[in-house]
Amino acid sequence: MDDNRLLGLILVFAPLSILSFGGGQAIIADMQHQTVDVWGWLSANQFSDLFAISRAAPGPSTLIAALIGYQIAGFAGSIIATLAIYIPSSIVVYYATSWWQNHPDSRLKRSFERGLGPVAIGLLFAGALAIIESGPISWLMMINLAICTAILYFTKFSPYKLVGSVALVFLALNMIGL
Amino acid sequence: MSDIKAQTQPDSSSHENPQLVTPSLWQLMIAFLKIGVTSFGGASRPMMHRESVEANKWLSDRDFIAGFALAQVLPGANPVNLALYVGLRARGVPGAAIAVLGMVLPAFCVILLMGYAYRELIVYPATHFVLAGVAGAGVAATIATGVKMATKLDRNWMTLIIALAVFFAVGVLHISMTPVVIIAIPASLAAAWFTDKDLRHG
């Protein structure tokens, strides 16, 4: 049972690793789809919780893989999922580094830099939608989302401080029974 | 394998700065653990620049900037990719492995502790409520980043169509990401190739 889960973690995260253009945020939608709908390891609520923790935690956003691995298959799961999310993309970086240095053709490089942008942004917003859909949808959550987006877009307020502030506000709201 | 390693290892003749230093693997490990711990707030790039270029001279400024651009374009978390690049340039494949390990290990330990705390605390209803709020802040960060990135994209129909098609296919229709990306990336690269503006200037 646990062996199957470890193998499953590799099957889910290794392909996502190669597709994680722009980092972990681009693969959130598919990660949610795979772990909740396809493999049934997590409920939508649990996935939303783990996403929240990964955003409150330090380090790269791809480390959500470690958190999901831990939740699904304990410590071994966290190690396997972390290796699966980092090794394939690292191999790509390894080969690309030498290729990049040996090909001064700047038109091709520019095409890569410009061409991956629209795909990454489409995936980014798909991930945002996936998280919104998997959490509770209420007026409170929508207002929270709107205020946080405005703060992060228009000010230089640190995302980590914002996450901490939001946690405190929601804890207070919970205490007064909202 | 071996010739790639030779090309990517520091070769003082190919740099403008002849005084580059080759670190020991131990030095790399300590430096990247330090970067991993101190960049908890997200400032890993300036830290990495200070350690690998300014303080220790493992690679030149120009190489670092090239690595930064590469780390952004390629799949994987940008700070992890940049650590891999610096490690690879400084000490080949073992250096790359050690730099990534040092970079990821501190945050990995913290996130495991948080995962453990989550398992213990989820019995309280308040946990999910608070985390739902935090998830909102996380989504807000994604949206704010996405809007900022979108304003820097080329303003043409192809860009808009590709971004919307990818969003619709993966986000709304829940089509698996792999086939979507296999179609969208070549299409988008081709569009970028044929609309390359700098070509006209020579």
Side-chain angles (χ1 to χ4, degrees), chain A residues 5 31-37 39-51 68 71-72 130-131 133-135, chain B residues 118 122 128:
Chain A
R5 291 193 155 200
M31 213 183 266
Q32 196 252 18
H33 179 63
Q34 297 270 348
T35 55
V36 176
D37 306 329
W39 291 79
W41 290 325
L42 302 169
S43 70
N45 273 336
Q46 279 176 316
F47 187 86
S48 163
D49 286 350
L50 295 180
F51 169 79
I68 292 173
Q71 184 69 24
I72 293 170
I131 298 295
E133 283 179 343
S134 58
Chain B
Y118 171 69
I122 194 60
H128 181 62

Side-chain angles (χ1 to χ4, degrees), chain B residues 87-98:
Chain B
L88 191 63
R89 295 302 303 262
R91 283 300 302 264
V93 174
I98 281 195

Side-chain angles (χ1 to χ4, degrees), chain B residues 73-88:
Chain B
V73 172
L74 294 173
N78 296 350
V80 179
N81 283 351
L82 189 54
L84 192 146
Y85 174 88
V86 171
L88 191 63

Side-chain angles (χ1 to χ4, degrees), chain A residues 15-27 29-30 32-34 37 45-64 66-67 69-75 78-79 82 85-86 89-98 100-102 105-136 140-141 144-145 148-150 152-155 158-160 162-163 166-171 173-174 178, chain B residues 1-5 7-9 36 39-42 63 66-67 69-82 84-85 88-89 92-93 96 100 103-104 106-119 122 125-154 156 158-160 162-164 166-168 170-182 184-186 188-199:
Chain A
L16 286 178
S17 173
I18 296 186
L19 300 176
S20 60
F21 292 100
Q25 297 183 65
I27 50 174
D30 206 50
Q32 196 252 18
H33 179 63
Q34 297 270 348
D37 306 329
N45 273 336
Q46 279 176 316
F47 187 86
S48 163
D49 286 350
L50 295 180
F51 169 79
I53 296 169
S54 79
R55 294 318 300 254
S61 51
T62 32
L63 265 183
I64 189 178
L67 207 50
Y70 179 73
Q71 184 69 24
I72 293 170
F75 184 67
S78 70
I79 299 280
T82 305
I85 203 76
Y86 286 126
S89 67
S90 296
I91 292 172
V92 173
V93 174
Y94 171 73
Y95 283 104
T97 298
S98 57
W100 201 261
Q101 280 158 2
N102 295 328
D105 181 352
S106 54
R107 185 181 181 189
L108 192 54
K109 286 182 188 176
R110 278 199 304 273
S111 301
F112 262 97
E113 282 167 0
R114 288 169 49 234
L116 290 174
V119 180
I121 283 175
L123 292 172
L124 206 78
F125 283 106
L129 184 64
I131 298 295
I132 293 171
E133 283 179 343
S134 58
L140 177 64
M141 293 304 165
N144 174 48
L145 178 61
C148 289
T149 307
L152 290 173
Y153 187 76
F154 293 109
T155 73
S158 145
Y160 285 99
L162 183 69
V163 160
V166 167
L168 289 177
V169 168
F170 271 71
L171 201 59
L173 288 175
N174 189 258
L178 228 151
Chain B
M1 283 294 250
S2 59
D3 65 306
I4 291 167
K5 189 173 162 185
Q7 285 152 7
T8 49
Q9 265 188 340
S39 62
F40 274 5
D63 281 342
L70 199 61
Q72 283 189 307
V73 172
L74 294 173
N78 296 350
V80 179
N81 283 351
L82 189 54
L84 192 146
Y85 174 88
L88 191 63
R89 295 302 303 262
V93 174
V100 169
M103 187 78 191
V104 172
F108 178 79
C109 293
V110 174
I111 212 165
L112 267 198
L113 281 176
M114 291 170 90
Y116 176 77
Y118 171 69
R119 279 187 168 186
I122 194 60
T127 306
H128 181 62
F129 182 71
V130 170
L131 285 176
V134 171
V139 172
T142 302
I143 294 174
T145 309
V147 174
K148 281 177 193 167
M149 278 167 63
T151 57
K152 287 178 195 152
L153 289 182
D154 302 331
N156 58 45
M158 218 35 208
T159 302
L160 185 66
I162 288 167
L164 283 177
V166 168
F167 168 76
F168 196 72
V170 176
V172 180
L173 298 179
H174 298 290
I175 298 174
S176 188
M177 188 179 159
T178 312
V180 174
V181 163
I182 284 175
I185 286 184
S188 194
L189 290 183
W193 173 268
F194 289 113
T195 57
D196 192 277
K197 287 190 187 95
D198 291 315
L199 200 67

